[in-house]
């Protein structure tokens, strides 16, 4: 018996409850190109079939599909109904434009009411609706009743965020007014650029400031505070994406991470070099432990982050919904002040 005066749970319901926990862990570990909002009643899907999204008559299911991949399998019934015998089922799917999906090249439909959207594009985002018509036979009254259930899936294209890295590092200096400081920083930039040249990453936004520091029980040194960004979009980056560029943001993010790791290793070696190879410490030298990195995310035009509207895909760059746009590599979609367009992925207002 369930505690607190609740109804007894059948072994089948108890098993489904355990399945929910297992499926959630499996999905978190495996991941998938398509993501669904973690709604109650949706969690046990993974144990039944991997990467399958069932409908819900109470509310739309939010589904997120990575650009240029296939969607999860969308099923025109809810999970509980899928465990029952269905008499004379008929399925009807319509796309965001309200037209039937029958015969559409990108829509893979099965006789069991399942839909897979192939090669998903931003323009394919929107509401996908299916209706399941079937019969219920009342044996006691010897009646047949026709019923229809409607399910709605809100399907959104998304990209992984593009990532650049803000790097900060410090060097000692003899004084802040010396022209040698600027020359040193320029040489430093050339060295770092050569380090990551083969990764088609570039150094941008390099700047420095010189400050005099008060250090207890020591003389007051000057230090150069140097900062720059590591950007994976140097000339030729598109050539590394392949054709078609299915997961180009993944590749560029990996290259940016590799470049940053390589730069970090370069600065860490400066400490060893100073301690073991120099008999006299140079006037300008790396301050041990000063290297730091901060990742900065951005989204491609037509995409943006929104951890309220798309909380189950908060780290994703989700296609801008109708009435919003993103003209540049910002982080969020902006609202159109005037006339609102009806398409997804707008880069400007109509």
């Amino acid at each position: 018996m369930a505690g607190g005066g609740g109804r007894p749970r059948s072994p089948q319901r108890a098993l489904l409850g355990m399945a929910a926990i297992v499926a959630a862990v499996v999905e978190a570990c495996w991941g998938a190109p398509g993501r669904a909002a973690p709604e109650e009643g949706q969690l046990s899907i993974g144990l039944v079939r991997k990467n399958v999204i069932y409908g819900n008559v109470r509310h739309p299911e939010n589904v997120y599909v990575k650009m240029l991949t296939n969607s999860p399998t969308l099923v025109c019934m809810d999970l509980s109904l899928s465990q029952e015998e269905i008499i004379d089922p008929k399925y009807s799917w319509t796309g965001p434009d309200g037209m039937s999906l029958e015969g559409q090249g990108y829509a893979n439909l099965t006789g069991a009411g399942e839909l897979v959207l192939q090669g998903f594009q931003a323009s394919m985002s929107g509401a996908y609706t299916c209706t399941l018509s079937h019969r219920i036979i009342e044996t006691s009254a010897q009646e047949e009743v026709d019923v229809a259930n409607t399910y709605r899936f809100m399907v959104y294209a998304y990209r992984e965020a593009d990532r650049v890295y803000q790097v900060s590092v410090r060097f000692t200096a003899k004084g802040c007014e010396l022209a040698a400081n600027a020359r040193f920083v320029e040489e430093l930039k050339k060295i770092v650029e050569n380090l990551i040249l083969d990764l088609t990453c570039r150094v941008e936004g390099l700047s420095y400031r010189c400050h005099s520091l008060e250090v207890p029980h020591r003389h007051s040194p000057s230090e150069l505070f140097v900062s720059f960004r590591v950007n994976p979009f140097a000339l030729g980056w598109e050539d590394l994406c392949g054709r078609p560029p299915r997961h180009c943001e993944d590749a560029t993010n990996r290259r940016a991470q590799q470049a940053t790791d390589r730069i970090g290793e370069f600065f860490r070696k400066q400490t060893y070099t100073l301690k073991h190879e120099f008999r006299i410490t140079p006037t300008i030298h790396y301050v041990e432990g000063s290297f730091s990195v901060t990742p900065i995310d951005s989204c491609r035009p037509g995409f943006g982050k929104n951890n309220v509207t798309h909380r189950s895909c908060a780290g994703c760059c989700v296609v801008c919904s109708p009435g919003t746009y993103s003209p540049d590599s910002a982080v969020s979609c902006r609202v159109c002040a005037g006339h609102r367009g009806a398409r997804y992925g707008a880069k400007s207002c109509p």
Side-chain angles (χ1 to χ4, degrees), residues 50-257:
K50 187 176 181 294
N51 206 25
V52 173
I53 309 298
Y54 286 82
N56 193 314
V57 293
R58 297 189 303 271
H59 56 74
E61 287 289 352
N62 286 347
V63 181
Y64 299 90
V65 184
K66 195 168 187 178
M67 282 282 292
L68 302 176
T69 68
N70 295 342
S71 76
T73 299
L74 309 181
V75 184
C76 190
M77 66 180 67
D78 54 66
L79 181 59
S80 61
L81 190 59
S82 72
Q83 309 301 311
E84 301 176 7
E85 184 179 64
I86 303 175
I87 301 173
D88 296 335
K90 294 181 180 178
Y91 307 95
S92 175
W93 280 94
T94 58
D97 58 1
M99 303 296 290
S100 172
L101 293 179
E102 288 285 349
Q104 299 292 341
Y106 61 86
N108 185 2
L109 293 166
T110 71
E114 298 178 351
L115 167 66
V116 174
L117 300 166
Q118 299 177 318
F120 204 78
Q121 302 276 358
S123 59
M124 294 163 60
S125 301
Y128 289 79
T129 304
C130 68
T131 300
L132 165 59
S133 303
H134 63 103
R135 269 179 198 168
I136 298 176
I137 299 178
E138 298 288 350
T139 54
S140 58
Q142 295 185 344
E143 291 182 353
E144 296 183 3
V145 180
D146 291 327
V147 297
N149 297 333
T150 298
Y151 304 95
R152 197 162 177 250
F153 300 84
M154 292 301 302
V155 187
Y156 302 95
Y158 81 90
R159 294 179 179 273
E160 299 294 346
D162 291 322
R163 183 163 289 173
V164 300
Y165 291 89
Q166 182 74 34
V167 175
S168 299
V169 65
R170 289 157 52 190
F171 293 86
T172 61
K174 191 172 184 179
C176 285
E177 305 302 325
L178 299 177
N181 294 340
R183 291 197 298 270
F184 170 79
V185 172
E186 281 300 316
E187 288 300 316
L188 177 66
K189 180 182 179 183
K190 293 177 184 177
I191 292 171
V192 174
E193 285 177 333
N194 285 330
L195 278 176
I196 61 177
L197 184 63
D198 62 306
L199 297 173
T200 64
C201 293
R202 70 172 186 260
V203 173
E204 63 180 17
L206 185 142
S207 64
Y208 77 95
R209 293 178 180 275
C210 186
H211 298 281
S212 297
L213 306 180
E214 289 291 338
V215 181
H217 312 298
R218 290 172 54 190
H219 68 284
S220 300
S222 297
E223 285 192 4
L224 304 176
F225 290 68
V226 182
S227 65
F228 56 88
R229 291 187 301 276
V230 177
N231 190 313
F233 300 109
L235 185 65
W237 70 272
E238 291 176 308
D239 296 335
L240 300 181
C241 292
R243 295 290 182 268
R246 288 189 176 275
H247 302 293
C248 203
E249 63 265 35
D250 295 340
T252 54
N253 286 340
R254 280 196 300 271
R255 288 190 287 102
Q257 181 66 65

